[in-house]
Amino acid sequence: MRKLIFLWIALVVVSLQALANDKVSFTASAPDAVAVGDQFRLAYTVTTQKVRDFRAPSIKGFDVLMGPSRSQQSSMQIVNGVSTSTSSITFTYILMATAEGSFTIPGATITADGNQMVSNSVQIKVLPADQVGAASSGGGNSSQQGNTSRASSGTSVSNQDLFILPTISKTNVYEQEAFLLTYKIYTLVDLRGFDNVKLPDFKGFHSQEVELPGDRKWSLEHYKGRNYQTTVYRQFVLFPQQSGNLTIDPARFDASIAKATQVSDPFEAFFNGGSNYIEVKKTLMTPKLTVDVKPLPGDKPADFSGGVGEFSISSSINSTNVKTNDAVTIKLVISGTGNLKLIGDPEVKFPDDFEVYDPKVDNKFRLTSAGLSGSKVIEYLAIPRNAGTFKIPAVKFSYFDIKSRTYKILTTEEYELHVEKGEGNAAQTIANFTNKEDLKVLNEDIRFIKQNDVTLSQKGDFFFDSMLYWLLYLVPGVAFIIFFIIYRKQIAANANVAKMRTKKANKVAVKRMKLAGKLLAENKKDVFYDEVLKALWGYISDKLNIPVSRLSKDNIEEKLRKYGVEDALIKEFLAALNDCEFARFAPGDDNQAMDKVYSASLAVISKMENSIKH
């Protein structure tokens, strides 16, 4: 018995030891990209302090300027009375890139908690040195400004300091063939955000926006001799709906930039908030793009449903042996990648005397750069009303294959359905009739012949020249006159588009703020701030009957003052705009910032509604 107890204790100790070892990690980290001449950190971190025999790998392609330096970190956290502690040791090297290319630094080895461990390897891309200015130290994982070369001096921002480049994955496509449009930011300056973004309407395309992560990842990229900090701003998957040379119009971005200045006058620095940065505005326009869209070949199959991509189809039936009035379900599954959302539903040809219902469609696809990927599930339900053996023919599905550039026809299996006579309504079905398309069920489609005494009248006598006949003429006329008298004022008001727009401004803004509230609850940061900005700018545009394109922070104060709005409220409105714009890109607690912006925007719209005088 004692031996069993000792054995059980030993097993528990070994299990706990193994569990503890599983929690220990040994990882290497370094920037994804650096430039020739850049200095950066290569760090190896192990999540325990019981270590020995750290051995770094052979580092080729870089000069080791310092290291390894050892540092220890430890922390303790108490949650609901339960304390947890973490500790780690980091071995850091300072390296300098000396040559262009892609380099791999193998993993290091260490003995942690008595077990030998190997870290992951890291891959680093070394870009050419910047042709204008010297690249700052740091790496691709540093802040946005930390790796960019020096931008042009002064308070101006040139087109080489900041621009947005649109790119498309394909320039020659077929109708309905998906391709990816990407708007990418290239910057050498401290970009704080965008005051206004106007994207093209994608005329001639069906567009779907790609959902990007909320926290944008910046990386270093060499472009035309300069090393820029870059990030993908927006992405769209486009499906051309017609052939020819289709144009994607330029997009407009009104950028807000923090520009460093050298302030020699201490009084000027004081009135600038003690900061050596000023806010600079710049409007960015992207170049126009052209896509050559070829028409689909003319030899389309007769049952072509518009599918373009790569697809497969399968079918299934719930049962091939049923009784009359039992439901028969045939499921078609179209899988693949392409314009799944725009494909027409294939036709299942049931026997003529089956009662057929509209198909149920379930879309199970996700958006990718090549189009919609996944499956489209279509369920067809029919009810046989007569006994017998029936054949449900195979379903044909044709599509245009992008790889082979030909039409392909896919066929499902054919089903033989055995229907036995059932109970209930089955006895009421008509067994023999010449036209089964016209006659279905006796109690529903054909009325019984009346056998009692009936009164007959000549056709038209009971209605023509009767009281009901004249009332049908008089009542609509009288109703129209009454309606016109009651609603003529409202009709006149509706005719004044500007007045109606002003009247409905608050209603439209409240609707947008409700949507923003839902986005706040879902913690969708970027979309939330976009919706709040639309509500604020749209409200002022509608209320003052001035297009948004003609409004700016510089002239909005003058416009509002003409309508009798107090200066304090104008400043509060402008502050709400600024808080919304800067909170989107500011670090810190996103939820707290979003709550603050939401409450402030609601309050200022409410105050503005009571202050604007017409």
Side-chain angles (χ1 to χ4, degrees):
M1 186 66 181
R2 289 183 179 180
K3 291 182 179 179
L4 291 174
I5 294 174
F6 285 126
L7 180 60
W8 181 79
I9 293 174
L11 289 173
V12 171
V13 170
V14 171
S15 300
L16 292 175
Q17 182 77 17
L19 184 62
N21 291 335
D22 287 341
K23 294 182 180 179
V24 177
S25 62
F26 183 38
T27 57
S29 61
D32 296 328
V34 295
V36 172
D38 276 1
Q39 299 179 16
F40 62 95
R41 294 180 179 180
L42 169 65
Y44 296 93
T45 302
V46 58
T47 56
T48 182
Q49 294 191 0
K50 298 178 181 179
V51 299
R52 59 184 176 85
D53 297 336
F54 169 76
R55 294 184 182 181
S58 175
I59 301 175
K60 297 180 180 179
F62 305 96
D63 288 343
V64 180
L65 303 182
M66 188 186 76
S69 62
R70 173 170 169 163
S71 61
Q72 297 183 0
Q73 303 84 29
S74 60
S75 63
M76 178 174 289
Q77 187 177 16
I78 300 176
V79 179
N80 296 328
V82 179
S83 62
T84 56
S85 60
T86 58
S87 60
S88 62
I89 295 178
T90 301
F91 301 88
T92 305
Y93 291 85
I94 302 297
L95 307 181
M96 184 174 72
T98 57
E100 299 177 34
S102 297
F103 300 90
T104 300
I105 300 177
T109 61
I110 197 171
T111 301
D113 287 348
N115 296 317
Q116 190 172 22
M117 304 181 70
V118 181
S119 74
N120 59 294
S121 60
V122 293
Q123 292 184 339
I124 303 174
K125 185 176 182 180
V126 181
L127 307 175
D130 197 277
Q131 294 180 2
V132 182
S136 302
S137 62
N141 293 338
S142 301
S143 65
Q144 177 186 337
Q145 308 90 281
N147 284 332
T148 58
S149 304
R150 290 194 207 96
S152 57
S153 60
T155 58
S156 64
V157 177
S158 71
N159 292 333
Q160 286 71 42
D161 294 338
L162 173 65
F163 58 91
I164 295 180
L165 188 64
T167 57
I168 50 179
S169 58
K170 301 175 185 177
T171 56
N172 294 278
V173 296
Y174 282 96
E175 289 181 56
Q176 299 292 342
E177 180 181 355
F179 65 92
L180 183 67
L181 168 65
T182 301
Y183 290 98
K184 196 172 187 179
I185 302 173
Y186 289 76
T187 181
L188 298 174
V189 295
D190 185 2
L191 175 64
R192 293 296 176 90
F194 297 108
D195 299 331
N196 183 43
V197 176
K198 185 177 181 181
L199 296 171
D201 57 4
F202 302 123
K203 185 178 180 181
F205 299 94
H206 172 75
S207 64
Q208 288 192 253
E209 184 168 4
V210 179
E211 187 174 351
L212 299 175
D215 51 339
R216 303 185 187 278
K217 182 179 180 182
W218 294 83
S219 61
L220 194 64
E221 183 175 326
H222 192 79
Y223 181 78
K224 291 186 177 181
R226 304 298 304 274
N227 291 325
Y228 292 91
Q229 280 293 333
T230 64
T231 187
V232 174
Y233 181 68
R234 303 281 284 273
Q235 280 187 323
F236 298 87
V237 176
L238 302 181
F239 300 84
Q241 302 299 297
Q242 61 192 60
S243 59
N245 288 325
L246 301 187
T247 300
I248 300 175
D249 293 330
R252 171 175 172 161
F253 300 82
D254 295 331
S256 176
I257 303 121
K259 190 77 173 177
T261 59
Q262 294 181 353
V263 182
S264 57
D265 188 350
F267 292 99
E268 183 179 352
F270 174 79
F271 288 108
N272 194 33
S275 172
N276 291 332
Y277 288 88
I278 61 172
E279 184 180 5
V280 178
K281 302 292 186 180
K282 182 174 179 60
T283 297
L284 309 175
M285 297 295 294
T286 64
K288 180 173 64 175
L289 300 177
T290 301
V291 183
D292 183 14
V293 182
K294 293 175 287 187
L296 295 176
D299 54 339
K300 297 179 182 178
D303 57 351
F304 179 64
S305 58
V308 176
E310 296 180 61
F311 303 106
S312 62
I313 188 170
S314 62
S315 68
S316 61
I317 189 170
N318 63 330
S319 177
T320 55
N321 295 281
V322 296
K323 294 183 179 181
T324 54
N325 302 305
D326 287 347
V328 176
T329 303
I330 291 182
K331 181 186 293 185
L332 298 181
V333 180
I334 302 174
S335 304
T337 301
N339 61 339
L340 274 169
K341 192 175 183 179
L342 306 177
I343 292 177
D345 299 337
E347 181 182 1
V348 176
K349 295 181 179 179
F350 289 97
D352 294 336
D353 56 349
F354 277 39
E355 185 175 346
V356 182
Y357 293 84
D358 292 335
K360 176 186 174 183
V361 181
D362 184 14
N363 295 321
K364 298 179 179 179
F365 42 70
R366 57 186 177 85
L367 190 62
T368 67
S369 59
L372 296 169
S373 182
S375 62
K376 182 176 185 179
V377 181
I378 312 164
E379 291 188 18
Y380 298 83
L381 187 144
I383 298 177
R385 296 304 187 187
N386 298 288
T389 299
F390 304 91
K391 283 190 176 181
I392 300 176
V395 175
K396 290 186 177 180
F397 171 71
S398 59
Y399 70 96
F400 182 74
D401 185 71
I402 291 298
K403 285 189 175 180
S404 64
R405 299 184 178 182
T406 59
Y407 291 101
K408 289 188 176 181
I409 301 176
L410 306 178
T411 306
T412 64
E413 61 179 306
E414 181 185 75
Y415 296 107
E416 185 174 275
L417 188 63
H418 302 282
V419 182
E420 297 180 0
K421 187 175 180 181
E423 299 178 356
N425 291 335
Q428 299 172 357
T429 59
I430 297 178
N432 298 311
F433 46 85
T434 56
N435 190 351
K436 293 185 178 181
E437 293 183 1
D438 296 333
L439 304 180
K440 299 288 183 180
V441 182
L442 184 62
N443 283 349
E444 296 179 4
D445 289 14
I446 300 177
R447 297 295 182 184
F448 286 106
I449 297 175
K450 293 184 178 180
Q451 299 177 349
N452 298 329
D453 295 335
V454 294
T455 303
L456 302 178
S457 61
Q458 188 175 349
K459 183 178 180 181
D461 285 352
F462 71 98
F463 179 71
F464 182 74
D465 206 25
S466 65
M467 180 64 70
L468 178 62
Y469 176 82
W470 291 110
L471 285 176
L472 290 177
Y473 279 98
L474 293 175
V475 171
V478 174
F480 175 76
I481 294 172
I482 296 173
F483 176 83
F484 180 77
I485 294 173
I486 294 175
Y487 292 98
R488 59 182 177 178
K489 291 185 179 180
Q490 184 174 348
I491 293 171
N494 289 338
N496 188 341
V497 177
K499 185 176 180 181
M500 289 303 297
R501 183 181 175 190
T502 301
K503 187 176 180 181
K504 295 180 179 180
N506 187 60
K507 184 177 180 181
V508 174
V510 170
K511 185 176 180 181
R512 284 174 172 162
M513 290 304 295
K514 285 183 179 179
L515 176 57
K518 294 180 180 178
L519 297 172
L520 170 64
E522 297 171 1
N523 199 25
K524 294 184 177 179
K525 181 180 177 182
D526 288 349
V527 188
F528 166 78
Y529 287 121
D530 285 343
E531 198 63 34
V532 174
L533 284 172
K534 288 179 183 177
L536 292 171
W537 282 108
Y539 173 78
I540 291 300
S541 173
D542 292 341
K543 201 67 179 175
L544 305 183
N545 195 27
I546 300 174
V548 176
S549 58
R550 290 171 53 191
L551 286 175
S552 67
K553 294 179 184 177
D554 297 330
N555 67 6
I556 195 172
E557 184 174 354
E558 177 185 353
K559 302 290 184 184
L560 289 174
R561 191 176 287 113
K562 288 181 180 180
Y563 282 86
V565 181
E566 295 180 357
D567 291 346
L569 184 55
I570 295 174
K571 291 181 180 179
E572 185 177 348
F573 181 81
L574 294 175
L577 282 174
N578 290 329
D579 290 344
C580 183
E581 292 166 354
F582 287 107
R584 181 176 183 177
F585 296 95
D589 189 346
D590 289 345
N591 290 331
Q592 185 176 358
M594 291 165 70
D595 288 337
K596 181 181 177 183
V597 167
Y598 183 74
S599 301
S601 301
L602 275 177
V604 78
I605 289 175
S606 177
K607 293 178 183 178
M608 196 69 71
E609 182 68 15
N610 298 325
S611 298
I612 294 180
K613 302 175 182 177
H614 291 277

